[in-house]
Every structure is written in structure tokens, then in C-alpha cells.
Amino acid sequence: MKILLAACNAKYIHSNLAVYDLRAYASAYQEHILLGEYTINQTKDEILKDIYLSGADVVCFSCYIWNISFVRDLLEDLHKILPDVKFWTGGPEVSFDAEAFLRRTPQVTGVMVGEGEKTFLELVRYYVDGVGTLSEIPGIAYREGEEIHHNGWRELTDLSEIPFVYEHLEDFENKIIYYESSRGCPFSCSYCLSSIDKKLRFRDLDLVKKELQFFLDHRVPQVKFVDRTFNCKHEHAMTIWKYILEHDNGITNFHFEVSADLLRDEEMQLMSRMRPGLIQLEIGVQSTNPDTIHAIHRHMDLDKLERCVAKVHSFGNIHQHLDLIVGLPYEDYDTFHRSFNDVYRMKPDQLQLGFLKVLKGSLMEKEAEKYGIMHKEKEPYEVLSTNWLSYKEVLRLKMVESMVEVYYNSGQFQNTLEYLVPQFADAFTFYEKLGAFYEKKGYSEISHSRMRRYEILLEFLREETDLDADVAAQHMLYDLYLREKLKKRPSFAADQKPYESAVWTYRKKHKISKTAHIEAFPDGTTILFDYENRNPLSNNAHTETIELDLDNIE
């Protein structure tokens, strides 16, 4: 008997922690369990072939909004070539409407609803040892002839009982390592599935320390904690942060999703001592409109959040990623405009504009009609309009999102934006106008090189504003050289021939590496860009203002 756990990830660099957890929990039957990780970018024929040749008798798919249509397509063809194989599914995309899913997908035998570790183990026993019946297994919905049965949800798992899944790190080479030290969430945000289960559970800290040390010993580049609100329990968070600070290997980065307004002074003091790049924080703001925050049942002290973000920012050692959501109740175009500016002023390293996804099983799904939320019928169930936001306005915000991704989140225009944005009415207006320019010129549907993005920005300034584009161009040149020593100088760069002799003399006198670049700017400033010494957060070159001997320059 062979049972295949199949994951269809969004990208190759992703790994599916769920299927590894299931296999580890059922390790007593490891000789019967196969694991296949695929991506939705692979051809279906390639995956069909692999599953067919695996010889599996039972195939279990892990289902999410990014892969459910892909999995359905696979199931239709797999059932034809493997008519005797039993197909099971699990995951958030099928758990909350399991019976309806089974009616729509006749190829599937059953659905594991909710947490799957214990359920999968009992299914393996049923198929391998012939123990019991499906009717006796909690946490499944299944098909029996023409009838569909639902056995109800299983009790929640003790997180410390789940074995560590990363002993064989070679299986995760060039992939993101996901780690779980807690499950559940104490909050009730209506758009999130974590709000459904109110039982918050933590993995034993002695286990966590042991497993973190494993990552540190193996010099893993990044460990991404999937805990929904990592710092909701102060002692738990402090213990882990203290451990990684005291055992820092100088390489590994740890990613945490936190609620900034819950951060305490003790945690802040600890963070201030961390190596630049040791941790990074993802902070969900979602909206700064009080009516919206109340409607989505979110608890947030915005003033404290802003103070905490500013404090962490002042340390200069921690990347902060702040999120906003478009399409929430009571958030119209103007209030989102304000929310954007409120968060932009906090100077996050990245500002993520997400669009509301009305997830199956969430409170938002139940309240969608109440708020006039229209969303796509198929996954990812993204918002189309609300009582406060038209589809036309959603499209305008899509362009703002695109401009923020290209010009802000890329980190490639930092100095240029610091110069330009204050010269507009506000930050939102800058990105809004730039997005409208892309649309007008037909640039929005075209893939552009990095250099072309700079050229389009200059074109926008010259055609749509009264700003001095030549001054802006020098800021752009500075940003370009911050990242790399250009093989070809951009068309808007000032002529360096008058400075060549002085630059050569300076290089020789100070033994400057050939990999470094020296640029003389029209305002009289000369900058040395040192690419062998980079900022660990931004990856920008170290810069130094230098003095050239220009006495002999005519």
C-alpha cells in the first residue's frame, strides 16, 4: 500500500509545511508514505506522469486558494488514468465546505477537515492495516456510494506532539524554511481564517530552542515563522528572541508576523541589540479608519503601533513590512487614501497593498452581503466592489499598488522618492498620478527593465509636472549606482570625462578596488560606491563622500 501526499506550491522556492507535518506524525508508517512537491507552474502532464509512476494507491492533495483550480484539473485526469486510486483532499480551501466540494468533485473520495495530523494517521491505519471504518474517523467528510457523510471536526492537536520535519535539510535546498511555534490566534479579524479557532496553542519552548539551534547550526539563510501573531504571548516571544540573539550565527534571518502595538519596552530593548538582518517583522495594519477597524473586529492601538514602528525604525537593524487591505467595510477611496498616507509616513521598508479576499469559512464571507462586497466567484475570491468602493476605484488602486511595488518596495528608488514625494500633495497622490501616466501611455501591461522604469519616471516628470527632471535624474543615478556598478551609463547621466584624470589619481592614491565606482555629480559632490561593503538590510553599496583634486581640470 502506497499513500502519496501531494503539494502543489505557488513557486519552487516555497515548501508545504503541512504535508511534511502529516508525514512526520504518521512516521510509524513511513515505508508506505510518499511525498511529492510540485508547483502550479509545472505542466499538468509532468505531474500526471509523476503521480501515475509513483504507484500510489491513495493520493492526498493539500488545497489552498492558489492551487485549487489546478488540483481540480489534475483530479479530473488522474481519475481517468488511475480509476482505482482513492483521492483525498485537505487544507483551508476544502475544509469549510467539504460536503459541497465533494458534490462538485466526484473524483474525490473524501476531505480531511481542519488540522490533519491525527486524521491522516488514522486514514493511513485504515488503508494500510484495515483498521476500523471511515465512519469512525473524526475530522473527515467522505463519499459512500451516492451519500456524503461528515463526521465533524476533530479536537485540536497538541503542537508539541508534532515531530520536527527538517532533519533532512537537503530536501529543502534553495527553498524557504517555514516554522511553527504556535497555532491559532487570540484575535477575531473577520477576513482571516485564524479567527475561527480561538484555542491558541504553543509548542514547548525546550523543543523550539532545540529546533532553532538546528537551523542555526546548519546556517539556514532564512526561517519564516508562520505563527499568526507571534508576539501575542510576551514570555513566548521573548524567550525565542533572546535565544536567537544569544546564539546568532551571523547568517540566519528570522521572519515574524507581529502586532506592533503589543510590543513592550523589554522587547524593544532586546531588538535594539540585534545584528542588522537577524530578524524582520511583518505588521498588519490593514486600515487606519476607525469605522473599518471596528467593523472587522480588529483590536489595534494605532497611536502605539506608530510609535513602536518608529522606535524599531530608529534602530536601523530590522526590516519592517507593513500591510494594508483594499476593500474592507467602510473604507472608501478617500479613507484608503488617508490610510495609505498614514502608513507611508511610518517609513516601512515595504508597504504591501493587498486586496480583500473573501475566504471560505471566514466571518467576512458571512457578512459580504451586509457590506455589499462583490468578489470574484473563483479563487482567490478577490474583492471587485463594495458599498463604499466601485470597481473603477478598485482598478485605480490596482495601479497605485503596481507603482508602489515597482518604485517603493523594490528599494531601487529610495533617494529619488525621498526627493520627489514631498513635492506632491502627498505620497498617495504621487503614486496615483504616476499610475495614471502608465495607463495613459499604455505602459501598464508591458514588462519593463529596471533602466526603463527610471526613464519612464523621467518622462512622467517632464510631461506631467513642473519639477526639475534634471535634478531628479541625478537622484536616480545615485540610486542606480547604489545597487550595482553599471556596465552602461544611462542616457541621463552627466558626462564624466572631465573627471577621469582626478578619479584615476584618487583611485591610485587610496588603493580603491576596481569593483568600486566613483561618480562626480553636477552639484559638485563626488561619491564613492563600495560594493564589497553593503548594507545588510537594503543590500545597497556603502557610500562615502570624497574630495577629488580638480586643480588641473579646465
Side-chain angles (χ1 to χ4, degrees):
M1 173 66 68
K2 292 182 181 180
I3 299 173
L4 173 66
L5 286 165
C8 295
N9 301 324
K11 296 179 181 178
Y12 174 76
I13 62 168
H14 296 167
S15 56
N16 186 307
L17 180 58
V19 294
Y20 286 95
D21 276 347
L22 297 184
R23 183 177 68 172
Y25 199 83
S27 60
Y29 294 88
Q30 60 183 344
E31 69 271 21
H32 296 280
I33 300 172
L34 310 172
L35 195 148
E37 277 200 283
Y38 313 102
T39 81
I40 59 175
N41 301 309
Q42 286 179 259
T43 65
K44 293 188 180 73
D45 282 344
E46 184 180 350
I47 300 172
L48 288 173
K49 176 183 176 182
D50 191 74
I51 293 175
Y52 178 82
L53 293 178
S54 73
D57 303 286
V58 180
V59 178
C60 305
F61 280 100
S62 182
C63 300
Y64 303 87
I65 57 174
W66 62 80
N67 71 10
I68 186 62
S69 288
F70 192 86
V71 169
R72 277 203 192 100
D73 290 346
L74 286 173
L75 285 166
E76 288 181 0
D77 292 330
L78 282 168
H79 184 67
K80 295 173 184 176
I81 59 176
L82 296 169
D84 298 323
V85 167
K86 303 297 184 183
F87 294 101
W88 284 78
T89 60
E93 189 55 24
V94 295
S95 286
F96 297 98
D97 66 342
E99 292 160 298
F101 176 80
L102 287 171
R103 284 191 289 270
R104 291 193 305 269
T105 319
Q107 302 87 3
V108 174
T109 299
V111 175
M112 290 180 277
V113 299
E115 293 185 0
E117 286 88 0
K118 291 180 179 178
T119 303
F120 178 69
L121 175 58
E122 293 189 20
L123 274 176
V124 172
R125 285 178 183 151
Y126 168 76
Y127 280 113
V128 174
D129 296 336
V131 173
T133 64
L134 291 179
S135 64
E136 298 171 313
I137 301 177
I140 65 170
Y142 64 99
R143 186 188 311 281
E144 189 175 49
E146 297 298 316
E147 294 186 7
I148 292 174
H149 304 275
H150 197 306
N151 294 350
W153 290 59
R154 178 182 289 275
E155 75 280 2
L156 299 177
T157 306
D158 180 346
L159 206 55
S160 299
E161 293 179 1
I162 300 173
F164 186 61
V165 302
Y166 291 111
E167 286 91 348
H168 300 289
L169 272 177
E170 64 273 12
D171 295 339
F172 301 91
E173 189 174 358
N174 300 319
K175 292 191 175 185
I176 298 172
I177 298 293
Y178 296 101
Y179 183 78
E180 185 177 40
S181 76
S182 68
R183 277 186 190 172
C185 183
F187 304 114
S188 304
C189 303
S190 61
Y191 52 83
C192 181
L193 291 179
S194 296
S195 65
I196 296 172
D197 168 22
K198 302 306 296 180
K199 188 175 181 183
L200 182 59
R201 294 149 289 150
F202 297 88
R203 192 164 176 82
D204 180 80
L205 281 169
D206 287 336
L207 275 177
V208 172
K209 290 177 184 178
K210 178 182 176 183
E211 291 158 1
L212 293 180
Q213 192 59 53
F214 177 88
F215 296 135
L216 291 163
D217 290 343
H218 288 81
R219 304 170 82 81
V220 170
Q222 186 181 55
V223 177
K224 192 164 187 176
F225 276 67
V226 296
D227 304 38
R228 297 311 302 160
T229 306
F230 175 76
N231 63 325
C232 61
K233 184 178 180 182
H234 172 70
E235 295 79 10
H236 182 83
M238 277 296 292
T239 301
I240 291 174
W241 280 336
K242 279 182 181 177
Y243 190 87
I244 63 176
L245 172 62
E246 293 167 359
H247 298 80
D248 181 17
N249 61 11
I251 293 174
T252 304
N253 164 267
F254 295 90
H255 176 105
F256 301 95
E257 186 172 337
V258 302
S259 182
D261 58 326
L262 295 182
L263 291 173
R264 302 183 186 180
D265 289 341
E266 185 183 9
E267 291 165 317
M268 294 286 200
Q269 291 169 9
L270 190 70
M271 289 179 185
S272 69
R273 296 161 43 206
M274 291 179 172
R275 164 180 60 85
L278 174 59
I279 72 170
Q280 62 189 51
L281 304 178
E282 182 173 349
I283 300 165
V285 182
Q286 320 314 5
S287 173
T288 64
N289 179 21
D291 292 336
T292 298
I293 295 298
H294 178 74
I296 61 176
H297 310 288
R298 186 166 176 78
H299 299 282
M300 179 176 67
D301 183 337
L302 183 60
D303 290 337
K304 186 180 179 185
L305 182 147
E306 187 168 359
R307 291 195 302 273
C308 289
V309 169
K311 184 75 171 176
V312 172
H313 183 73
S314 72
F315 303 152
N317 62 347
I318 295 172
H319 174 104
Q320 295 185 95
H321 177 140
L322 272 58
D323 298 341
L324 285 171
I325 296 179
V326 174
L328 294 173
Y330 300 102
E331 188 86 276
D332 61 22
Y333 195 85
D334 291 335
T335 62
F336 187 83
H337 183 145
R338 288 195 292 273
S339 290
F340 181 96
N341 287 331
D342 289 339
V343 175
Y344 196 89
R345 279 193 297 271
M346 298 181 199
K347 299 181 179 179
D349 296 281
Q350 286 203 329
L351 173 51
Q352 178 74 44
L353 302 190
F355 288 76
L356 176 66
K357 294 171 179 60
V358 183
L359 302 176
K360 290 178 181 177
S362 67
L363 178 60
M364 188 63 73
E365 183 188 33
K366 297 179 177 66
E367 296 182 332
E369 186 175 351
K370 170 184 173 182
Y371 295 125
I373 297 174
M374 306 292 290
H375 60 85
K376 293 179 181 178
E377 286 301 309
K378 294 187 65 176
E379 70 288 342
Y381 317 111
E382 192 174 88
V383 66
L384 296 169
S385 65
T386 73
N387 284 342
W388 300 270
L389 202 63
S390 69
Y391 179 60
K392 183 178 181 180
E393 289 169 327
V394 168
L395 292 178
R396 288 170 66 187
L397 292 173
K398 284 278 187 182
M399 283 309 303
V400 172
E401 176 206 22
S402 177
M403 295 300 97
V404 169
E405 281 297 312
V406 169
Y407 289 98
Y408 188 87
N409 290 343
S410 69
Q412 297 172 0
F413 299 80
Q414 181 178 343
N415 294 278
T416 305
L417 295 175
E418 287 177 359
Y419 166 71
L420 287 178
V421 170
Q423 302 190 60
F424 285 76
D426 53 45
F428 182 88
T429 300
F430 167 75
Y431 293 103
E432 179 186 46
K433 288 183 179 296
L434 183 56
F437 180 75
Y438 264 73
E439 288 275 80
K440 183 174 80 171
K441 289 287 189 174
Y443 296 152
S444 58
E445 304 302 322
I446 303 171
S447 178
H448 300 286
S449 67
R450 180 185 174 207
M451 188 65 73
R452 181 64 183 137
R453 297 289 190 183
Y454 284 90
E455 293 169 350
I456 293 173
L457 182 54
L458 275 176
E459 187 182 340
F460 163 70
L461 295 175
R462 288 175 176 141
E463 294 186 18
E464 301 291 331
T465 76
D466 296 325
L467 299 179
D468 190 331
D470 292 334
V471 174
Q474 300 315 305
H475 289 277
M476 294 182 195
L477 188 65
Y478 186 91
D479 280 325
L480 278 162
Y481 277 115
L482 269 179
R483 284 300 175 93
E484 61 180 321
K485 187 174 182 179
L486 302 174
K487 295 179 180 179
K488 181 180 178 182
R489 288 179 64 77
S491 58
F492 52 82
D495 186 8
Q496 294 291 286
K497 286 185 179 180
Y499 308 99
E500 285 180 351
S501 176
V503 168
W504 184 87
T505 301
Y506 185 92
R507 280 185 176 276
K508 184 177 180 182
K509 179 179 178 180
H510 296 276
K511 299 180 180 179
I512 302 300
S513 169
K514 290 182 179 179
T515 62
H517 175 72
I518 295 175
E519 181 74 18
F521 289 88
D523 65 359
T525 304
T526 303
I527 303 294
L528 168 67
F529 296 86
D530 180 1
Y531 303 107
E532 294 180 3
N533 293 288
R534 291 180 178 269
N535 184 303
L537 295 186
S538 66
N539 202 39
N540 286 339
H542 173 75
T543 60
E544 180 183 348
T545 301
I546 63 173
E547 295 290 334
L548 297 178
D549 182 2
L550 303 176
D551 290 344
N552 297 321
I553 294 179
E554 298 180 0

